[in-house]
Structures are given as structure tokens and as C-alpha cells.
Amino acid sequence: MIGVIGGTGLRKIDGLTIVREEIVDTPYGKPSDKIIIGKLGNHEVAFLARHGEGHTIPPHLINYRANIFSLRALGVRAILAVAAVGSILEELRPGCIVLPHQIVDYTYGREHTFFDGINNPVSHIDFTNPYSSKLRNLLCENTSLEGINFIKEGIYAAVQGPRLETAAEIDRYEKDGATIVGMTGMPETALAKELGLSYAAICPVANFAAGRGSSKDGITHEEINKKSELMALNVSEYLKVVIEAYGS
Ligand code: HPA
């Protein structure tokens, strides 16, 4: 079964017919919310709202281990992770969807591994290519939806939040090669890889990052929420096409 983790703006998938809801517990605690199992076209999908019901969990307090563990426990083997981002580059305008291929991780203090030497023996996964190439190919091959501008590569700067960045921090991330910035990509991506799941990210661009474009003089979280919600229909439509192509 394929899983979808919804971020800011995507509290549900439009068109998903709900079959049942699962409340799951894990050795790592509870996931962000109940997991909704539904049908999108002919395909079963498990949906989890990353920030919980009513968007109450900030990025640094999300129980990423419980989220990934519980999806796997329900039979999920591939995850499409939707995560709103800010754009670092002029050409990545709010409204487009970036399909990142790389990550630079600036987060700290998060429970970021299953292989902690307590619950599981120490192990060092390969993370050269953080996302599943098979899932990324699927995403990149299904980008002909009218009215949506897809960018098939991106370097995701994963930041701690919950505050937004300073303009100088964004300059630093750009020097490091990053093209988009968000708060939830890590450790989620690495945890999925530790459990052997295929995982790829869909990043709707909600705003220009701090100090860039229309965010030159500042930026509000309300603007980010509003744009993310406006993009939810496009994202749902895209998920439908991709999941149809993925099969079961
Ligand atoms: N910075 C960090 N996270 C974000 C942003 C941003 O500008 N926009 C959406 N998520």
C-alpha cells in the first residue's frame, strides 16, 4: 500500500473515499494523528496528517519515528511526503511544485534514528541519494497536469523552525547549494530509509524565503498557510495521477 504524509495545507486528500481509520501505537509513542485508510480511484492509500488534527504539532515536536513506524506497521511500503517549502531562487515562484532530489540537514535535537543502540543495534544506512529513485522517476514522469509548473530537481534545506529564517541564513543555505527550505523533511526521509521504505517528496512552494522576492522585507506564517491551502487541490489532483501510475 502507498502512504501519503500531508503537511501544511494538506489535511486531507480531495477525492479520497475513506474506508476506515486506524489509531496506532508504537514502541516510539503515538503518531501525529489517526491514519486514514481510503481509496483513491482503484488504489488503497494510507493518509497521515504530519502536524496532527488542526495543525497543532510544530515541526520540531513531530514524532517522526512513530509516524514512519506506524505507516509501515499498517502495510505501507512507499511514501509520498507532501511538505510546503519556501523558495530560495527567483525562478522557483510560489505556486510551483518542486520534486527535490537532495537534502542538506540543519535540524538538531530531534529523535532521528531507529538505530540508536537501545531499540535496535547501531547501523549506518547509505544516504547518498536520500529519495527513492523509482518513486522520484514516477513523480517526474507524471507532471503533465495542466496549470501546474513542476520543477523536477531541488536541494531541500531542512531547518529546525518553528521560527522562519533570517535573510543571512537563507544566503548561507543558497551558498550550500540549497534551492528550497522547509522544516519537516528531516529526519522523516532518513527514518523511512532506515525502515526500507521507498520515499519521495512533493514540495509545493508557498512563499519566497526570507529576504527573497516578495519576502524581501518579511514573511508571515499566515501567508504560507493561505498559499499552501490554495495549492491543496492541485496537490490532490497530482497525487491521484501518481498513485494511479504507481498501482497497488
Ligand atoms: N521556511 C521554512 N519552512 C517553510 C517555509 C520557509 O520559508 N515556507 C514553508 N515552509
Side-chain angles (χ1 to χ4, degrees):
M1 176 165 51
I2 196 155
V4 173
I5 302 180
T8 303
L10 196 79
R11 268 173 264 117
K12 63 180 178 61
I13 306 174
D14 281 287
L16 185 76
T17 310
I18 298 175
V19 176
R20 63 180 200 279
E21 296 180 349
E22 296 274 357
I23 296 170
V24 189
D25 208 351
T26 82
Y28 307 95
K30 290 192 191 329
S32 297
D33 199 359
K34 58 189 176 298
I35 294 173
I36 294 166
I37 314 286
K39 281 221 146 184
L40 203 57
N42 289 321
H43 303 291
E44 213 177 37
V45 178
F47 177 82
L48 174 61
R50 186 186 284 114
H51 294 280
E53 203 180 352
H55 199 111
T56 49
I57 313 172
H60 64 294
L61 294 182
I62 289 167
N63 191 337
Y64 294 97
R65 293 199 298 186
N67 285 356
I68 296 297
F69 191 95
S70 58
L71 284 169
R72 190 175 191 280
L74 290 177
V76 167
R77 293 295 175 265
I79 294 176
L80 297 173
V82 181
V85 292
S87 160
I88 296 177
L89 301 183
E90 182 75 41
E91 61 268 29
L92 303 180
R93 308 193 73 76
C96 75
I97 295 179
V98 178
L99 307 171
H101 68 294
Q102 274 294 339
I103 297 173
V104 183
D105 186 11
Y106 302 96
T107 65
Y108 49 87
R110 302 180 179 192
E111 293 290 356
H112 64 286
T113 181
F114 291 108
F115 300 127
D116 53 8
I118 303 163
N119 295 285
N120 292 293
V122 175
S123 176
H124 306 276
I125 58 157
D126 169 51
F127 207 46
T128 310
N129 293 302
Y131 302 110
S132 153
S133 57
K134 195 172 149 232
L135 266 193
R136 260 190 47 72
N137 286 343
L138 189 78
L139 289 176
C140 292
E141 283 161 6
N142 286 280
T143 51
S144 51
L145 280 174
E146 212 161 300
I148 310 178
N149 183 21
F150 289 94
I151 287 90
K152 297 180 186 178
E153 286 204 330
I155 301 182
Y156 181 106
V159 298
Q160 181 70 358
R163 69 165 175 82
L164 290 154
E165 299 70 43
T166 67
E169 283 169 337
I170 295 298
D171 289 344
R172 173 193 171 199
Y173 303 149
E174 183 175 19
K175 282 194 201 106
D176 287 354
T179 61
I180 50 177
V181 56
M183 299 177 190
T184 57
M186 286 296 286
E188 194 174 274
T189 313
L191 291 166
K193 197 149 200 197
E194 284 190 346
L195 288 194
L197 304 178
S198 300
Y199 177 106
I202 297 170
C203 296
V205 174
N207 58 288
F208 278 113
R212 302 293 167 100
S214 51
S215 303
K216 196 172 176 317
D217 298 319
I219 174 177
T220 70
H221 201 248
E222 286 68 42
E223 287 169 58
I224 294 175
N225 280 343
K226 206 165 140 204
K227 186 69 181 174
S228 301
E229 272 163 32
L230 280 175
M231 293 184 72
L233 265 182
N234 277 353
V235 172
S236 290
E237 211 182 315
Y238 181 46
L239 285 169
K240 218 173 296 170
V241 171
V242 170
I243 290 169
E244 190 64 43
Y246 175 81
S248 295

